[in-house]
Amino acid sequence: MSRKWTFLWLTLVFSIFLALAVFTFLKANPVLLLVSEIAIPLLYAATLIMISRSLKPIISIGRSLNLLREGDFSITLVKTGNKDVDNIIEVYNSMISRLREERLSVREKNHFLDLLIQSSPLGIIIVDLDENIIDLNKAALSCLGIQVDDYQGRKMSGNKNSLLSEIAELSYDEKKLIVLDGGQKYLCRKLFFMDHGFKHPFYIIEEFTEEIRQAEKEAYGKLIRMMAHEVNNTIGSVNSIMSTVQSLNESSHDSDKEEIISMLGVAVQRNYQLNRFMQNLSNVVKLPPPEKERMSLNDSVRVVLESFGPVMKEKNITLTFNPDTASLMITADRSQLELVFSNIIKNSIEAINDNGFIMVALISEPLSVCFADDGPGLTKKAEEAIFTPFFSTKPGGQGIGLTLVQEILTNHGFSFSLRNREHGGAEFNILF
């Protein structure tokens, strides 16, 4: 019942009581009539005051709810002194305060997110569930060469913009390098975020800038120069050997047979080295995904160390191997992981002069392996570029080993670090 009808109902009830009092006491008892005429209006007034006070918080809450419905969270209620009503008001004020804080936090985060999207160097296209374009940032407009008003609200597919049409064909989490007729390259990807339980799609466009193209060119140039160096060295030495063999063969002295065999062996060795170089290069470029299995870390490291035993003995290198007493089991591709261990040990051996030492320790908590040596350690330049493809500190080095190590460990999800030791030498740590 509304406030107006409540007051009308009370007025009617008290009017009836007053009429009954007049009718009853008008002739029989004038004194009671006078008392009734005074008491009933006073009771009426007191009832109206009490009801007004009781309804006031409810009316205030009703008005506040209307403001809430309109999005205004700034109004709180004042306590009335009535314990029951004040409890309701306290809960209401607490709810309003929390809603106001959360709303402010959401607004600030949305504003920050908008700033990030608009200032991002990546092109971002946000679409609705029907693949209609909702918004594009400045980078996306620049990549697409369009105005926002020309495409906002339209579908991704079926338009004249060639880049936009190709992007529309992407599947979720698919990456695609798109090359336009003008030679521009864009790496595009389709992702999603959850909104009210639905996948809300958006697209990312990364332009291959001049800096990236220049870096590609430098990388290709370095690779070609290194390959040309290896191939030319091998071809030059093999041609020299073949020419010498040819001249010795023409003289056909039996005494030259051993020399011919020796030179042919050198030629075979040079060809083997070239083949090994090309195989290592192929491993880096086309490394297969790991075929993981349960394996013993202790056994795997021990096998690799035993294979380098003769080389260490020849260089008089002392090996200290500290396996863990626990059975350290991991899930990994055994052959790839042992290739990692081999490259690390090989680098340590090559870095150490005679009479050095190598220490290998396995740790159960956290599960890790540490390779340390007393070699010269890493120079500042080497620390900055040690995992860069084709970078090597060794004369004639190919710079492939640590690149392969990095690729294998990254594919397995294992973290690693290579740094100088405090008292000299280098230390390679792998955390499983």
Side-chain angles (χ1 to χ4, degrees):
M1 185 180 293
S2 67
R3 185 179 181 184
K4 176 182 176 181
W5 287 106
T6 300
F7 288 155
L8 288 175
W9 172 255
L10 290 174
T11 301
L12 176 61
V13 170
F14 277 94
S15 297
I16 292 172
F17 286 159
L18 185 59
L20 288 173
V22 171
F23 179 77
T24 304
F25 303 119
L26 180 60
K27 294 181 180 180
N29 195 335
V31 176
L32 288 177
L33 176 61
L34 180 61
V35 171
S36 300
E37 288 178 345
I38 295 172
I40 291 175
L42 289 176
L43 288 172
Y44 174 67
T47 304
L48 289 181
I49 293 171
M50 291 176 62
I51 292 177
S52 295
R53 288 181 177 178
S54 300
L55 291 178
K56 188 176 180 180
I58 299 175
I59 294 170
S60 298
I61 291 175
R63 290 174 179 171
S64 300
L65 291 175
N66 289 332
L67 293 173
L68 281 180
R69 191 178 293 113
E70 295 172 2
D72 188 348
F73 294 86
S74 61
I75 303 298
T76 55
L77 301 178
V78 179
K79 293 185 177 181
T80 63
N82 185 310
K83 184 178 180 181
D84 294 332
V85 175
D86 286 350
N87 287 336
I88 298 174
I89 290 175
E90 187 175 350
V91 172
Y92 173 84
N93 288 343
S94 176
M95 179 188 69
I96 287 295
S97 176
R98 188 175 301 173
L99 286 173
R100 184 168 56 246
E101 292 175 0
E102 290 182 358
R103 189 184 189 196
L104 180 60
S105 176
V106 169
R107 282 183 175 178
E108 290 174 347
K109 289 179 180 178
N110 285 341
H111 180 63
F112 177 64
L113 182 60
D114 289 340
L115 289 177
L116 280 180
I117 291 175
Q118 291 303 323
S119 60
S120 172
L122 300 176
I124 299 175
I125 306 173
I126 302 175
V127 298
D128 60 19
L129 300 179
D130 295 322
E131 294 289 325
N132 296 314
I133 298 175
I134 298 176
D135 197 12
L136 307 91
N137 68 348
K138 294 179 181 179
L141 294 174
S142 176
C143 292
L144 296 170
I146 61 174
Q147 298 294 324
V148 64
D149 295 335
D150 296 336
Y151 285 88
Q152 197 168 32
R154 298 186 181 181
K155 284 194 173 293
M156 286 283 294
S157 58
N159 55 72
K160 297 179 181 179
N161 190 288
S162 57
L163 178 57
L164 202 57
S165 298
E166 291 203 47
I167 294 174
E169 298 176 0
L170 294 175
S171 304
Y172 281 119
D173 291 327
E174 179 186 359
K175 282 184 179 179
K176 183 178 181 182
L177 181 63
I178 300 175
V179 183
L180 302 183
D181 294 339
Q184 300 95 333
K185 296 180 180 179
Y186 299 95
L187 183 62
C188 304
R189 188 175 182 183
K190 183 179 181 180
L191 301 170
F192 69 88
F193 60 93
M194 298 305 295
D195 183 20
H196 294 86
F198 294 96
K199 288 184 177 180
H200 203 115
F202 68 97
Y203 298 85
I204 292 179
I205 309 171
E206 182 179 358
E207 182 180 8
F208 271 53
T209 62
E210 184 60 33
E211 290 80 5
I212 297 176
R213 284 193 289 269
Q214 189 64 31
E216 274 189 337
K217 184 178 178 181
E218 290 178 3
Y220 288 138
K222 190 172 183 179
L223 174 61
I224 291 170
R225 287 194 300 273
M226 185 181 65
M227 292 177 64
H229 174 75
E230 292 289 335
V231 172
N232 288 337
N233 281 351
T234 300
I235 291 176
S237 61
V238 170
N239 284 341
S240 175
I241 290 171
M242 298 306 291
S243 297
T244 304
V245 169
Q246 185 179 19
S247 62
L248 290 174
N249 188 47
E250 289 174 354
S251 62
S252 64
H253 295 296
D254 292 338
S255 59
D256 297 328
K257 184 180 293 186
E258 290 185 4
E259 186 176 356
I260 292 174
I261 293 174
S262 175
M263 285 188 289
L264 288 176
V266 173
V268 170
Q269 182 64 24
R270 291 293 301 177
N271 284 334
Y272 171 76
Q273 290 175 355
L274 178 61
N275 180 69
R276 181 172 174 271
F277 165 74
M278 298 305 295
Q279 184 63 45
N280 288 338
L281 190 62
S282 175
N283 288 339
V284 173
V285 177
K286 297 179 65 176
L287 183 68
E291 297 180 2
K292 298 181 180 181
E293 60 178 329
R294 294 291 291 173
M295 56 173 281
S296 169
L297 190 58
N298 283 330
D299 293 345
S300 182
V301 174
R302 183 180 289 107
V303 167
V304 173
L305 293 176
E306 287 175 355
S307 68
F308 284 96
V311 180
M312 293 188 198
K313 186 175 182 180
E314 183 180 341
K315 294 190 69 174
N316 199 26
I317 295 174
T318 302
L319 172 66
T320 303
F321 178 42
N322 298 321
D324 197 274
T325 54
S327 178
L328 303 182
M329 301 298 294
I330 62 172
T331 301
D333 187 315
R334 180 166 188 142
S335 61
Q336 289 190 9
L337 208 57
E338 289 183 357
L339 183 59
V340 168
F341 300 152
S342 296
N343 274 286
I344 296 172
I345 294 297
K346 179 174 175 290
N347 285 343
S348 292
I349 292 173
E350 292 174 349
I352 295 173
N353 294 323
D354 291 345
N355 304 314
F357 81 85
I358 293 176
M359 187 273 292
V360 181
L362 295 171
I363 305 168
S364 58
E365 189 60 40
L367 185 54
S368 58
V369 59
C370 173
F371 299 87
D373 62 59
D374 66 343
L378 303 170
T379 64
K380 186 175 181 180
K381 180 181 178 182
E383 282 185 305
E384 296 174 353
I386 193 66
F387 290 105
T388 302
F390 316 122
F391 173 83
S392 178
T393 57
K394 294 172 287 188
Q398 301 166 2
I400 293 176
L402 286 179
T403 304
L404 188 61
V405 167
Q406 181 186 40
E407 187 76 11
I408 291 173
L409 294 178
T410 301
N411 289 347
H412 278 78
F414 300 150
S415 58
F416 59 93
S417 64
L418 174 59
R419 59 175 179 268
N420 286 324
R421 299 173 68 233
E422 185 176 350
H423 302 294
E427 180 178 286
F428 199 114
N429 290 283
I430 304 174
L431 182 64
F432 300 97

